[in-house]
PDB file of all heavy atoms in Angstrom:
ATOM      1  N   ALA A 188       2.535  -7.008  23.078  1.00 97.00           N
ATOM      2  CA  ALA A 188       3.358  -5.904  23.577  1.00 97.00           C
ATOM      3  C   ALA A 188       2.619  -5.146  24.680  1.00 97.00           C
ATOM      4  O   ALA A 188       3.221  -4.777  25.706  1.00 97.00           O
ATOM      5  CB  ALA A 188       3.719  -4.965  22.428  1.00 97.00           C
ATOM      6  N   LEU A 189       1.308  -4.925  24.497  1.00 97.00           N
ATOM      7  CA  LEU A 189       0.527  -4.242  25.535  1.00 97.00           C
ATOM      8  C   LEU A 189       0.415  -5.109  26.791  1.00 97.00           C
ATOM      9  O   LEU A 189       0.530  -4.608  27.920  1.00 97.00           O
ATOM     10  CB  LEU A 189      -0.871  -3.915  25.004  1.00 97.00           C
ATOM     11  CG  LEU A 189      -0.949  -2.850  23.917  1.00 97.00           C
ATOM     12  CD1 LEU A 189      -2.381  -2.740  23.379  1.00 97.00           C
ATOM     13  CD2 LEU A 189      -0.502  -1.503  24.471  1.00 97.00           C
ATOM     14  N   LEU A 190       0.186  -6.384  26.612  1.00 97.00           N
ATOM     15  CA  LEU A 190       0.091  -7.280  27.765  1.00 97.00           C
ATOM     16  C   LEU A 190       1.409  -7.310  28.532  1.00 97.00           C
ATOM     17  O   LEU A 190       1.415  -7.324  29.777  1.00 97.00           O
ATOM     18  CB  LEU A 190      -0.289  -8.687  27.301  1.00 97.00           C
ATOM     19  CG  LEU A 190      -1.743  -8.861  26.875  1.00 97.00           C
ATOM     20  CD1 LEU A 190      -1.924 -10.158  26.086  1.00 97.00           C
ATOM     21  CD2 LEU A 190      -2.672  -8.858  28.085  1.00 97.00           C
ATOM     22  N   ARG A 191       2.511  -7.312  27.821  1.00 96.00           N
ATOM     23  CA  ARG A 191       3.819  -7.288  28.463  1.00 96.00           C
ATOM     24  C   ARG A 191       3.969  -6.014  29.312  1.00 96.00           C
ATOM     25  O   ARG A 191       4.463  -6.061  30.441  1.00 96.00           O
ATOM     26  CB  ARG A 191       4.908  -7.376  27.396  1.00 96.00           C
ATOM     27  CG  ARG A 191       6.321  -7.435  27.963  1.00 96.00           C
ATOM     28  CD  ARG A 191       7.317  -7.900  26.907  1.00 96.00           C
ATOM     29  NE  ARG A 191       7.266  -7.088  25.694  1.00 96.00           N
ATOM     30  CZ  ARG A 191       6.927  -7.550  24.500  1.00 96.00           C
ATOM     31  NH1 ARG A 191       6.562  -8.807  24.347  1.00 96.00           N
ATOM     32  NH2 ARG A 191       6.943  -6.760  23.448  1.00 96.00           N
ATOM     33  N   GLN A 192       3.511  -4.887  28.769  1.00 97.00           N
ATOM     34  CA  GLN A 192       3.584  -3.630  29.527  1.00 97.00           C
ATOM     35  C   GLN A 192       2.789  -3.703  30.828  1.00 97.00           C
ATOM     36  O   GLN A 192       3.161  -3.082  31.825  1.00 97.00           O
ATOM     37  CB  GLN A 192       3.065  -2.474  28.671  1.00 97.00           C
ATOM     38  CG  GLN A 192       3.950  -2.116  27.494  1.00 97.00           C
ATOM     39  CD  GLN A 192       3.316  -1.045  26.609  1.00 97.00           C
ATOM     40  OE1 GLN A 192       2.375  -0.362  27.016  1.00 97.00           O
ATOM     41  NE2 GLN A 192       3.827  -0.899  25.391  1.00 97.00           N
ATOM     42  N   HIS A 193       1.701  -4.457  30.810  1.00 97.00           N
ATOM     43  CA  HIS A 193       0.850  -4.552  31.999  1.00 97.00           C
ATOM     44  C   HIS A 193       1.231  -5.724  32.905  1.00 97.00           C
ATOM     45  O   HIS A 193       0.545  -5.986  33.892  1.00 97.00           O
ATOM     46  CB  HIS A 193      -0.610  -4.677  31.571  1.00 97.00           C
ATOM     47  CG  HIS A 193      -1.156  -3.432  30.952  1.00 97.00           C
ATOM     48  ND1 HIS A 193      -1.276  -2.235  31.630  1.00 97.00           N
ATOM     49  CD2 HIS A 193      -1.621  -3.185  29.689  1.00 97.00           C
ATOM     50  CE1 HIS A 193      -1.792  -1.314  30.834  1.00 97.00           C
ATOM     51  NE2 HIS A 193      -1.999  -1.863  29.648  1.00 97.00           N
ATOM     52  N   GLY A 194       2.305  -6.426  32.570  1.00 97.00           N
ATOM     53  CA  GLY A 194       2.800  -7.471  33.447  1.00 97.00           C
ATOM     54  C   GLY A 194       2.140  -8.820  33.303  1.00 97.00           C
ATOM     55  O   GLY A 194       2.304  -9.678  34.180  1.00 97.00           O
ATOM     56  N   VAL A 195       1.386  -9.042  32.210  1.00 97.00           N
ATOM     57  CA  VAL A 195       0.769 -10.352  31.984  1.00 97.00           C
ATOM     58  C   VAL A 195       1.845 -11.299  31.447  1.00 97.00           C
ATOM     59  O   VAL A 195       2.534 -10.984  30.486  1.00 97.00           O
ATOM     60  CB  VAL A 195      -0.400 -10.255  30.991  1.00 97.00           C
ATOM     61  CG1 VAL A 195      -1.019 -11.626  30.764  1.00 97.00           C
ATOM     62  CG2 VAL A 195      -1.449  -9.278  31.521  1.00 97.00           C
ATOM     63  N   VAL A 196       1.973 -12.449  32.065  1.00 94.00           N
ATOM     64  CA  VAL A 196       3.036 -13.382  31.718  1.00 94.00           C
ATOM     65  C   VAL A 196       2.514 -14.565  30.907  1.00 94.00           C
ATOM     66  O   VAL A 196       3.044 -14.895  29.849  1.00 94.00           O
ATOM     67  CB  VAL A 196       3.755 -13.887  32.985  1.00 94.00           C
ATOM     68  CG1 VAL A 196       4.798 -14.943  32.630  1.00 94.00           C
ATOM     69  CG2 VAL A 196       4.393 -12.721  33.727  1.00 94.00           C
ATOM     70  N   ASP A 197       1.477 -15.223  31.385  1.00 96.00           N
ATOM     71  CA  ASP A 197       0.987 -16.442  30.734  1.00 96.00           C
ATOM     72  C   ASP A 197      -0.163 -16.110  29.786  1.00 96.00           C
ATOM     73  O   ASP A 197      -1.239 -15.677  30.225  1.00 96.00           O
ATOM     74  CB  ASP A 197       0.513 -17.444  31.779  1.00 96.00           C
ATOM     75  CG  ASP A 197       1.669 -18.017  32.587  1.00 96.00           C
ATOM     76  OD1 ASP A 197       2.827 -17.862  32.151  1.00 96.00           O
ATOM     77  OD2 ASP A 197       1.423 -18.608  33.645  1.00 96.00           O
ATOM     78  N   VAL A 198       0.057 -16.327  28.489  1.00 97.00           N
ATOM     79  CA  VAL A 198      -0.910 -15.954  27.459  1.00 97.00           C
ATOM     80  C   VAL A 198      -1.147 -17.140  26.530  1.00 97.00           C
ATOM     81  O   VAL A 198      -0.216 -17.848  26.144  1.00 97.00           O
ATOM     82  CB  VAL A 198      -0.429 -14.739  26.636  1.00 97.00           C
ATOM     83  CG1 VAL A 198      -1.456 -14.359  25.579  1.00 97.00           C
ATOM     84  CG2 VAL A 198      -0.131 -13.556  27.551  1.00 97.00           C
ATOM     85  N   VAL A 199      -2.412 -17.344  26.173  1.00 98.00           N
ATOM     86  CA  VAL A 199      -2.818 -18.321  25.167  1.00 98.00           C
ATOM     87  C   VAL A 199      -3.435 -17.548  24.006  1.00 98.00           C
ATOM     88  O   VAL A 199      -4.197 -16.598  24.224  1.00 98.00           O
ATOM     89  CB  VAL A 199      -3.837 -19.326  25.740  1.00 98.00           C
ATOM     90  CG1 VAL A 199      -4.379 -20.241  24.645  1.00 98.00           C
ATOM     91  CG2 VAL A 199      -3.212 -20.141  26.869  1.00 98.00           C
ATOM     92  N   LEU A 200      -3.133 -17.947  22.789  1.00 98.00           N
ATOM     93  CA  LEU A 200      -3.673 -17.276  21.604  1.00 98.00           C
ATOM     94  C   LEU A 200      -4.870 -18.054  21.059  1.00 98.00           C
ATOM     95  O   LEU A 200      -4.799 -19.268  20.868  1.00 98.00           O
ATOM     96  CB  LEU A 200      -2.609 -17.172  20.511  1.00 98.00           C
ATOM     97  CG  LEU A 200      -1.297 -16.492  20.894  1.00 98.00           C
ATOM     98  CD1 LEU A 200      -0.360 -16.466  19.690  1.00 98.00           C
ATOM     99  CD2 LEU A 200      -1.530 -15.090  21.424  1.00 98.00           C
ATOM    100  N   ASP A 201      -5.955 -17.336  20.811  1.00 98.00           N
ATOM    101  CA  ASP A 201      -7.158 -17.918  20.217  1.00 98.00           C
ATOM    102  C   ASP A 201      -7.439 -17.147  18.930  1.00 98.00           C
ATOM    103  O   ASP A 201      -7.795 -15.967  18.979  1.00 98.00           O
ATOM    104  CB  ASP A 201      -8.333 -17.791  21.189  1.00 98.00           C
ATOM    105  CG  ASP A 201      -9.632 -18.364  20.635  1.00 98.00           C
ATOM    106  OD1 ASP A 201      -9.680 -18.706  19.439  1.00 98.00           O
ATOM    107  OD2 ASP A 201     -10.609 -18.454  21.396  1.00 98.00           O
ATOM    108  N   PRO A 202      -7.277 -17.772  17.752  1.00 98.00           N
ATOM    109  CA  PRO A 202      -7.474 -17.037  16.495  1.00 98.00           C
ATOM    110  C   PRO A 202      -8.913 -16.645  16.215  1.00 98.00           C
ATOM    111  O   PRO A 202      -9.174 -15.901  15.278  1.00 98.00           O
ATOM    112  CB  PRO A 202      -6.960 -18.013  15.430  1.00 98.00           C
ATOM    113  CG  PRO A 202      -7.035 -19.351  16.066  1.00 98.00           C
ATOM    114  CD  PRO A 202      -6.814 -19.149  17.531  1.00 98.00           C
ATOM    115  N   GLY A 203      -9.865 -17.122  17.021  1.00 97.00           N
ATOM    116  CA  GLY A 203     -11.246 -16.668  16.882  1.00 97.00           C
ATOM    117  C   GLY A 203     -11.963 -17.219  15.674  1.00 97.00           C
ATOM    118  O   GLY A 203     -12.504 -16.457  14.858  1.00 97.00           O
TER     119      GLY A 203
END
Side-chain angles (χ1 to χ4, degrees):
L189 291 174
L190 286 165
R191 183 164 54 243
Q192 291 175 16
H193 291 297
V195 180
V196 176
D197 291 345
V198 181
V199 173
L200 305 180
D201 179 351

